[in-house]
Amino acid sequence: MSSSISDLLASKTLDLEPYEQLYKHYHSHPELSNQEKETAATTAKHLSKLADFKITTGIGGHGFAGVLHNGSGPTVLLRADMDALPVKELTNLPYASTVTQVSERTGEESPVMHACGHDMHITCLLAAAEHLYALRSSWSGTLVVLFQPAEERGTGAQAMVDDGLYDKEKHNIPVPDYVLGQHVMALPAGKIGSRVGTIMAAADSFKVTVFGRGGHGSMPHRTIDPVMMASNIVVRLQNIVSRETDPSDMAVVTVGYLRGGHTENIIVDHAELGIDIRTINTATRERVIASLKRIVHAEYIASGAEKEPTIEETRFFPQTYNDEDMEGKLAGSFGEFFGEAFDPQIARTNASEDVSILASSQGKPSLFWFFGGTEPEFYAQKEREGRLIEDIPQNHSSGFAPVIQPTLKIGVDALCVAALTFLTRK
Ligand SMILES: [Zn+2]
Ligand SMILES: [Zn+2]
């Protein structure tokens, strides 16, 4: 008879102290999307200490995977993302990042910070790999630990698949029966949660360029003002959510940047808008994108512009959807292991993720969950004060940094419990 997952995990102790040090190393050495060279090298070196993992590096950029064949049974893939963000860290932590990096994508130099907690994801996955390796006589199947680049750009998972991640002739990583991943969030540390169905929204980003006719600021009648065109589009786009979307459904339309002109007395010849859309159902997604295109085109007609605007998709993330059958099994294990700390109906977030591509590209299901990283006392105090939104630093903010414990322990346990739920236990 197989023992419970709790008993199994307790049968071998895992020393997390070296992983706390490793976490601090990652935190103070962040790297931008598609530039995770040192992070990947450090991580692969650590994983190589577990001798039986077969490591393949350089998949879709700096991505890599370790495979542990451990007898017959299902293939379970655990995934961590590795990239950081162009944010200046303001946490005052002794291990805060002071790194700057030139982005290979934009050519601009900026401060870099692990403002989304991917450093915690990497550390948790390495520690979970060690623990599952130590327990290998108690389970059978194939374990894949995958370290993904460029999650923040929404391109990393797809790049790994496109580069032949599962291709027998190329990297030949076994196709997983189950893909599992996690994200640290601004929830109380110690808490963990998941839900059936959509847990994160789809995201589509666009760069829109409108073209007018430039000229002297004092002679607007000789020009077609692209700044005015862009401004009209910004306002009109807000009707998509307020007037065109069913109030019981959900859509977000954000203009993240608007660029046009350099000085007061010149009307420029073009302006640029960066637009971000979030949705949680496919039909709505298609309708919102169609509305965006219609509004941009209508403004081109309305202003009498002579050159058609361009609309370029710059990022795409699918919905992150938790398979019902898998979620049922996971909720059983998490409920048993974490007790009250586990929330099986955690609120959906409209942030986005590309992890599901590692599964959906192979017609397989995936599962994703959140775990807290905010100091629990601080969280409780802000909850009492009614200031959670104002005062708790969220992912991507300059003040976001999980407390190392119990965040790390929960993240490691969660990966182990989830993996052992789907591998065959002896
Ligand atoms: Zn992020
Ligand atoms: Zn993230």
Side-chain angles (χ1 to χ4, degrees):
M1 204 187 106
S2 63
S3 52
S4 77
I5 292 176
S6 308
D7 291 344
L8 203 56
L9 287 183
S11 70
K12 297 265 181 200
T13 49
L14 174 71
D15 180 10
L16 285 177
E17 211 278 329
Y19 289 101
E20 293 178 8
Q21 298 310 318
L22 188 60
Y23 167 77
K24 290 179 189 171
H25 171 84
Y26 287 129
H27 191 80
S28 53
H29 296 82
E31 293 174 296
L32 291 169
S33 304
N34 289 316
Q35 296 175 225
E36 312 88 342
K37 190 170 170 232
E38 296 304 326
T39 305
T42 304
T43 309
K45 192 167 155 238
H46 270 267
L47 188 63
S48 70
K49 291 177 190 161
L50 308 176
D52 294 346
F53 274 90
K54 185 177 171 292
I55 298 174
T56 308
T57 57
I59 312 175
H62 298 298
F64 75 95
V67 180
L68 177 61
H69 290 287
N70 190 34
S72 61
T75 297
V76 171
L77 185 152
L78 303 177
R79 173 272 209 174
D81 39 10
M82 299 189 285
D83 51 335
L85 286 160
V87 174
K88 184 172 171 55
E89 177 154 2
L90 299 174
T91 61
N92 289 324
L93 287 165
Y95 50 91
S97 163
T98 54
V99 169
T100 63
Q101 220 179 1
V102 176
S103 162
E104 286 171 10
R105 187 174 63 87
T106 65
E108 284 168 24
E109 181 165 13
S110 64
V112 185
M113 171 191 180
H114 266 297
C116 204
H118 298 183
D119 45 355
M120 182 58 76
H121 304 167
I122 306 167
T123 314
C124 288
L125 184 48
L126 277 177
E130 183 185 334
H131 207 182
L132 290 165
Y133 181 68
L135 293 168
R136 65 193 178 283
S137 62
S138 306
W139 59 267
S140 69
T142 299
L143 177 66
V144 181
V145 291
L146 182 141
F147 296 86
Q148 186 205 301
E151 186 281 327
E152 296 291 354
R153 298 301 309 160
T155 54
Q158 191 66 54
M160 289 187 83
V161 172
D162 291 348
D163 190 27
L165 172 70
Y166 301 125
D167 200 330
K168 294 223 163 16
E169 310 295 310
K170 191 89 187 269
H171 299 299
N172 196 23
I173 303 301
V175 172
D177 298 298
Y178 307 101
V179 168
L180 307 167
Q182 61 180 359
H183 209 299
V184 62
M185 295 298 219
L187 300 165
K191 295 279 179 200
I192 180 161
S194 193
R195 65 183 285 120
V196 174
T198 304
I199 185 164
M200 298 181 88
D204 293 87
S205 305
F206 296 91
K207 178 177 136 184
V208 170
T209 309
V210 292
F211 302 94
R213 187 193 309 126
H216 201 290
S218 68
M219 293 177 251
H221 60 293
R222 292 188 169 198
T223 73
I224 298 168
D225 186 349
V227 171
M228 187 65 94
M229 292 167 72
S231 305
N232 289 336
I233 290 170
V234 172
V235 174
R236 183 83 207 188
L237 283 176
Q238 294 312 314
N239 290 335
I240 298 175
V241 175
S242 66
R243 304 290 83 186
E244 296 182 25
T245 304
D246 183 336
S248 61
D249 192 1
M250 193 295 294
V252 180
V253 177
T254 293
V255 179
Y257 70 84
L258 192 169
R259 289 192 199 116
H262 307 284
T263 192
E264 300 90 331
N265 61 347
I266 295 172
I267 293 169
V268 279
D269 58 8
H270 73 278
E272 227 178 83
L273 302 112
I275 300 164
D276 187 74
I277 292 170
R278 306 287 162 136
T279 51
I280 52 166
N281 91 58
T282 310
T284 308
R285 172 178 175 260
E286 283 166 11
R287 212 177 35 69
V288 171
I289 293 172
S291 298
L292 158 73
K293 291 179 177 171
R294 188 193 72 232
I295 287 166
V296 170
H297 190 77
E299 181 57 31
Y300 150 73
I301 303 287
S303 58
E306 288 156 350
K307 183 176 172 187
E308 290 221 27
T310 57
I311 301 175
E312 187 191 321
E313 176 137 37
T314 49
R315 292 197 318 167
F316 166 64
F317 295 83
Q319 263 184 64
T320 306
Y321 188 88
N322 280 344
D323 178 77
E324 196 169 330
D325 187 43
M326 280 179 83
E327 178 65 32
K329 290 182 177 130
L330 184 85
S333 314
F334 274 10
E336 201 180 303
F337 188 87
F338 294 110
E340 290 287 297
F342 172 62
D343 178 356
Q345 289 176 308
I346 196 137
R348 186 195 71 233
T349 154
N350 294 329
S352 306
E353 252 292 339
D354 66 352
V355 60
S356 62
I357 292 170
L358 298 169
S360 61
S361 64
Q362 310 303 306
K364 301 292 184 182
S366 62
L367 201 53
F368 203 67
W369 62 87
F370 302 143
F371 62 119
T374 306
E375 208 283 304
E377 266 310 303
F378 179 66
Y379 192 98
Q381 180 199 331
K382 291 301 163 189
E383 196 165 32
R384 283 195 299 275
E385 292 170 8
R387 290 194 57 87
L388 287 177
I389 291 174
E390 296 85 350
D391 294 347
I392 302 279
Q394 299 291 311
N395 299 63
H396 290 208
S397 90
S398 57
F400 182 82
V403 288
I404 298 181
Q405 293 294 10
T407 312
L408 179 64
K409 175 152 177 45
I410 297 274
V412 177
D413 285 344
L415 288 168
C416 292
V417 172
L420 292 169
T421 301
F422 297 101
L423 291 162
T424 303
R425 292 202 308 285
K426 293 181 181 167

